[in-house]
Amino acid sequence: MEIGLSADIPTYSGGLGILAGDTLRSAADLGVPMVGVTLLHRQGYFRQVLDNKGNQTEIPVDWNPEQLFQDMAAQVTVTLESRPVALRSWRYLISGVNGDVVPVYFLDSGVESNSEWDRSLTNRLYGGDRHYRLCQEFLLGVGGVEMLERLGHTDIETYHMNEGHSSLLVLPLIEKQIRHSGRRFPIEKDLETIRRKCVFTTHTPLPAGHDEFPGDMVRRVLGEDRSVRLFSSGFTGHDHLNMTHLALHHSSYVNGVAMKHGQVSRTMFPNYRIKALTNGVHAATWVSPPMRELFDREIPEWRRDNIYLRYSINIALSEIQSAHDRAQRDLFRAIRETQGVDLDGDIFTIGFARRATGYKRADLLFHDTERLKELVDEVGPLQIVYGGKAHPRDETGKQLIRRVFEAAEKLKDAVKVIYVENYNYYWGGLITSGVDLWLNTPEKTREASGTSGMKAALNGVPSLSILDGWWIEGHLEGVTGWSIEEDAGAEKAAADSIYEKLEKVILPLYYERPEDYALVMRSAIALNGSFFNTQRMLLQYVFNAYSGNGSG
């Protein structure tokens, strides 16, 4: 549903879309024959505006896809609610380090022959009601398969469904298979043929990531014949359509996006064989320009083969510190220009930037503001950079942003707290590379992976995090960063653990033994950056999911 490719292309809301873009970039780097399909989203996700109390206002993004993409001059027509809806496509090309190219196709219903409502279907990412969402997912899945064939991609071996939003793509595969067999409805043999073509990655242990639609709505949108055909494949009852179950039932390879998330997913969907394949980030995209220059000079092979980042363990600590200082100056300059606030390069800087929603607990650091003040007085100063959008309908997320602003006001004489407005692709690169510590405080088992900490690690920024998602695998206490200790639901204990680690370990290390802090920075690159990247991740998909029709 979303693919993040650059700051100029607002067709993503957060980590899911950025991961999709990073995956396609690594496909281009590695020469993996892959294409991406998504919707155009002419109004983008939204531009976030915050007032001085932290109240969020959403404004449609003004951008011009015609200036960035190539019009493919190809159209397909799908039948939606018994009427024809025309789709056109736009192409964006990703070039890899060795010259290979991966195309991304953006489906656009903004065709003159369509009704005004149908033209709006590819306007808003995660906008509208459930009916709007189902129509979007129909265009993505069914329209996506038909558009690929129209564009000449007729030899596709594997369809990789990135979250359940695209799982209606199995419908044209079913129809093609039963046409080939001469049957009216699919039998198990047909379904096995389809499963060998499909791979499914589930990204969230939360209900919001598993769309469900009532049966009467499904029959209205798909049409009676198609609905009967779909439901006859045996994945669910006729009273509702669960997009995750649809993808699970029709895929030969299914995975969660971290070791722990694989375990959680198996408890959520016990009737399916779900493996784990841990996410990564595209190294060359998320390494800051100063750190990139350092790696190019010291480890010239790193772009072509990310495992060479392991050899950063030989880079002088002073070089790591110098590159990070320059990245931090870039971040602080951007904050000064947009926020009108000066941050101090000699003060320890914590970063927290991700989607603003309840389970991520952006305000956990402020559980006890008095203790935070005492900590600063006794050990040394700190400043904090926040960022993150709340979904327009997520009132809990919006309240979290307001609470961060309230805490900033309480702490203004002791700790400087900045909340960057309109956190996006551009700010993601600046903040993950420019802070001194990455803070991550999700409720346990609710963080599927968490790729922002991986971006930070590539830049020598260690994490202080709850042991959840990727951090269970990336954490080596005092080597790549630090853990936040918490029993399930014990929020005060988690906050106390943050204060304890900052007071007794992290701040003394930073202020009193800066070379030892730089050792942790370097280890984060060598141990975490060399593994938690999409180059390694995509090769695992190739070996385990795509090769052998997903039998790995």
Side-chain angles (χ1 to χ4, degrees):
M1 185 66 88
E2 55 174 299
I3 297 179
L5 294 167
S6 81
D8 299 325
I9 303 174
T11 53
Y12 63 93
S13 70
L16 181 67
I18 297 299
L19 174 69
D22 283 4
T23 302
L24 293 167
R25 279 193 197 83
S26 285
D29 289 344
L30 295 167
V32 176
M34 182 180 283
V35 302
V37 180
T38 188
L39 302 182
L40 187 64
H41 307 306
R42 284 186 175 272
Q43 295 178 6
Y45 185 45
F46 64 86
R47 184 167 70 84
Q48 179 195 54
V49 177
L50 298 171
D51 67 14
N52 59 7
K53 300 291 186 183
N55 296 301
Q56 174 180 290
T57 302
E58 301 93 25
I59 299 175
V61 179
D62 182 19
W63 71 296
N64 192 344
E66 287 84 353
Q67 294 179 353
L68 299 169
F69 301 152
Q70 177 188 358
D71 184 353
M72 296 307 292
Q75 289 192 14
V76 297
T77 299
V78 295
T79 302
L80 177 69
E81 296 183 318
S82 303
R83 67 182 180 275
V85 175
L87 285 174
R88 67 196 296 194
S89 69
W90 302 83
R91 186 176 72 177
Y92 180 91
L93 297 178
I94 300 172
S95 297
V97 291
N98 297 313
D100 292 291
V101 174
V102 165
V104 185
Y105 297 109
F106 293 79
L107 306 180
D108 179 12
S109 66
V111 177
E112 190 173 342
S113 61
N114 290 335
S115 69
E116 183 178 351
W117 193 82
D118 288 340
R119 288 199 297 270
S120 77
L121 284 174
T122 56
N123 276 355
R124 291 173 290 160
L125 174 59
Y126 304 136
D129 56 16
R130 282 205 294 177
H131 174 239
Y132 182 87
R133 175 74 69 87
L134 178 58
C135 292
Q136 280 193 319
E137 297 188 5
F138 176 85
L139 295 184
L140 177 63
V142 176
V145 171
E146 296 192 9
M147 182 62 77
L148 286 172
E149 292 192 0
R150 175 71 177 82
L151 293 168
H153 296 287
T154 57
D155 56 349
I156 295 173
E157 295 182 359
T158 302
Y159 293 88
H160 188 163
M161 293 174 276
N162 194 36
E163 201 58 284
H165 308 303
S166 61
S167 60
L168 281 172
L169 68 81
V170 306
L171 186 53
L173 300 185
I174 289 172
E175 292 172 345
K176 185 176 181 179
Q177 183 63 25
I178 61 176
R179 279 197 305 271
H180 177 74
S181 67
R183 287 181 279 272
R184 178 168 168 73
F185 299 109
I187 63 173
E188 187 60 27
K189 182 180 178 181
D190 299 319
L191 296 178
E192 281 304 316
T193 300
I194 292 162
R195 288 179 186 124
R196 286 196 294 271
K197 283 182 169 289
C198 292
V199 168
F200 173 54
T201 299
T202 178
H203 290 266
T204 173
L206 305 174
H210 307 282
D211 288 345
E212 283 201 19
F213 304 100
D216 58 347
M217 182 187 293
V218 174
R219 286 184 282 275
R220 187 169 81 249
V221 171
L222 270 62
E224 192 65 35
D225 287 349
R226 271 189 153 166
S227 299
V228 170
R229 202 172 293 134
L230 187 66
F231 285 125
S232 70
S233 65
F235 71 96
T236 187
H238 290 249
D239 58 331
H240 72 283
L241 169 63
N242 182 297
M243 299 296 278
T244 298
H245 282 131
L246 177 63
L248 288 166
H249 185 71
H250 292 91
S251 297
S252 59
Y253 183 93
V254 180
N255 69 283
V257 291
M259 179 178 66
K260 182 64 174 179
H261 181 235
Q263 296 169 355
V264 172
S265 298
R266 286 190 289 274
T267 64
M268 293 176 67
F269 308 106
N271 296 325
Y272 296 96
R273 188 181 180 199
I274 302 176
K275 299 187 178 183
L277 202 161
T278 303
N279 280 343
V281 297
H282 187 254
T285 294
W286 297 107
V287 168
S288 69
M291 202 66 78
R292 207 178 297 153
E293 292 171 13
L294 175 61
F295 294 161
D296 285 342
R297 186 173 70 249
E298 299 291 332
I299 324 168
E301 305 89 348
W302 76 280
R303 292 176 187 261
R304 180 180 52 80
D305 184 356
N306 292 168
I307 197 67
Y308 272 97
L309 287 170
R310 202 80 164 181
Y311 292 2
S312 61
I313 206 72
N314 285 324
I315 297 177
L317 295 177
S318 60
E319 296 272 21
I320 300 285
Q321 289 170 311
S322 175
H324 177 260
D325 288 346
R326 283 183 284 145
Q328 187 165 87
R329 286 197 293 272
D330 290 341
L331 168 62
F332 289 0
R333 185 183 306 114
I335 289 174
R336 183 171 62 252
E337 292 171 354
T338 57
Q339 311 282 120
V341 176
D342 285 311
L343 295 179
D344 189 335
D346 292 327
I347 292 179
F348 186 74
T349 306
I350 296 175
F352 186 107
R354 51 185 49 82
R355 183 164 53 93
T357 194
Y359 81 90
K360 291 183 183 285
R361 300 189 296 186
D363 61 342
L364 185 61
L365 180 60
F366 306 125
H367 187 84
D368 186 342
T369 53
E370 291 305 313
R371 181 165 179 191
L372 198 55
K373 289 178 185 178
E374 293 170 6
L375 184 158
V376 167
D377 287 341
E378 293 174 7
V379 187
L382 62 85
Q383 54 199 5
I384 309 163
V385 179
Y386 271 89
K389 298 176 180 179
H391 187 280
R393 294 195 297 273
D394 185 353
E395 290 304 321
T396 301
K398 291 181 178 182
Q399 178 61 29
L400 268 178
I401 297 174
R402 290 192 288 269
R403 286 209 288 270
V404 172
F405 272 72
E406 290 165 6
E409 181 63 23
K410 286 182 185 177
L411 289 164
K412 65 181 180 181
D413 295 328
V415 178
K416 190 173 286 187
V417 181
I418 304 298
Y419 203 108
V420 170
E421 187 177 71
N422 199 41
Y423 182 64
N424 58 12
Y425 199 101
Y426 167 75
W427 282 108
L430 283 173
I431 299 176
T432 56
S433 64
V435 297
D436 298 309
L437 180 73
W438 197 252
L439 181 65
N440 188 33
T441 55
E443 295 175 11
K444 268 193 173 180
T445 76
R446 301 189 75 181
E447 183 81 285
S449 175
T451 52
S452 59
M454 301 175 187
K455 298 181 183 80
L458 275 166
N459 288 284
V461 176
S463 286
L464 172 62
S465 175
I466 295 287
L467 283 167
D468 198 18
W470 84 282
W471 193 233
I472 294 173
E473 303 163 52
H475 163 259
L476 286 171
E477 186 71 13
V479 178
T480 58
W482 300 271
S483 64
I484 299 170
E485 307 302 327
E486 178 188 29
D487 295 325
E491 194 164 282
K492 182 181 183 302
D496 287 342
S497 180
I498 294 173
Y499 304 140
E500 188 89 0
K501 290 287 172 74
L502 287 173
E503 180 180 10
K504 296 188 176 177
V505 180
I506 300 171
L507 287 173
L509 194 68
Y510 179 84
Y511 283 118
E512 298 169 19
R513 307 197 317 272
E515 281 205 357
D516 288 342
Y517 196 89
L519 275 172
V520 181
M521 295 171 66
R522 189 172 66 180
S523 295
I525 300 169
L527 299 179
N528 287 346
S530 65
F531 181 83
F532 294 99
N533 54 73
T534 44
Q535 191 178 92
R536 181 272 313 159
M537 181 198 81
L538 184 59
L539 286 172
Q540 283 196 277
Y541 276 116
V542 169
F543 295 144
N544 296 286
Y546 306 157
S547 300
N549 296 318
S551 59

